[in-house]
Amino acid sequence: MSTEAPPPSKETEHRLPSTEEFVEVQSSAEFGDLRRSYRSFAFPLTVGFIAWYLLYVLLSNYAGGFMGTKLFGNINVAFVFGIAQFVTTFLIAWWYSRHAAAKLDPKAEAIKTRMEGGA
């Protein structure tokens, strides 16, 4: 019994692009559009999340009375804000995943396929 992997099929073989082709694609309008789509989503969301996180840290340090305010039972504002940090993180990850699948991945796949000689 042989443990060697079978040779790659013609369907999985891809041509490796040259450096010049990479540079050409990088300066293309299509790649610029892909980069703009990514940045217009990721940068504002990142800035917003960092601001939200820093607000939580600053309130925890300088507004102890407010953060210690009991909402119900032993649950206070700090606990609710802390849980909201986790919820926000998961929502952002889910939202980015949907955005990437709908807007970024098709553009990136088109560029990749063209560069590898599939188009």
Side-chain angles (χ1 to χ4, degrees):
M1 191 189 309
S2 175
T3 59
E4 290 181 33
S9 68
K10 295 289 182 198
E11 297 171 5
T12 60
E13 287 183 22
H14 299 289
R15 179 183 67 80
L16 292 177
S18 68
T19 303
E20 292 79 21
E21 289 171 311
F22 275 111
V23 170
E24 181 182 331
V25 167
Q26 185 181 13
S27 63
S28 72
E30 185 180 22
F31 187 77
D33 184 49
L34 172 62
R35 194 171 29 206
R36 203 170 15 267
S37 295
Y38 168 74
R39 288 178 179 170
S40 67
F41 184 86
F43 287 176
L45 208 54
T46 300
V47 169
F49 181 78
I50 289 172
W52 160 232
Y53 175 74
L54 289 176
L55 175 67
Y56 174 67
V57 170
L58 291 172
L59 287 174
S60 295
N61 282 318
Y62 300 109
F66 169 69
M67 294 296 271
T69 303
K70 293 207 184 269
L71 299 175
F72 47 91
N74 286 330
I75 307 298
N76 61 17
V77 172
F79 181 77
V80 171
F81 277 19
I83 295 299
Q85 290 288 317
F86 287 101
V87 171
T88 305
T89 301
F90 288 110
L91 286 174
I92 288 172
W94 171 77
W95 192 16
Y96 176 78
S97 175
R98 288 180 46 111
H99 172 75
K103 301 242 180 357
L104 305 178
D105 293 349
K107 293 176 185 179
E109 187 62 33
I111 293 170
K112 177 182 174 241
T113 300
R114 191 176 67 251
M115 287 189 73
E116 290 178 345

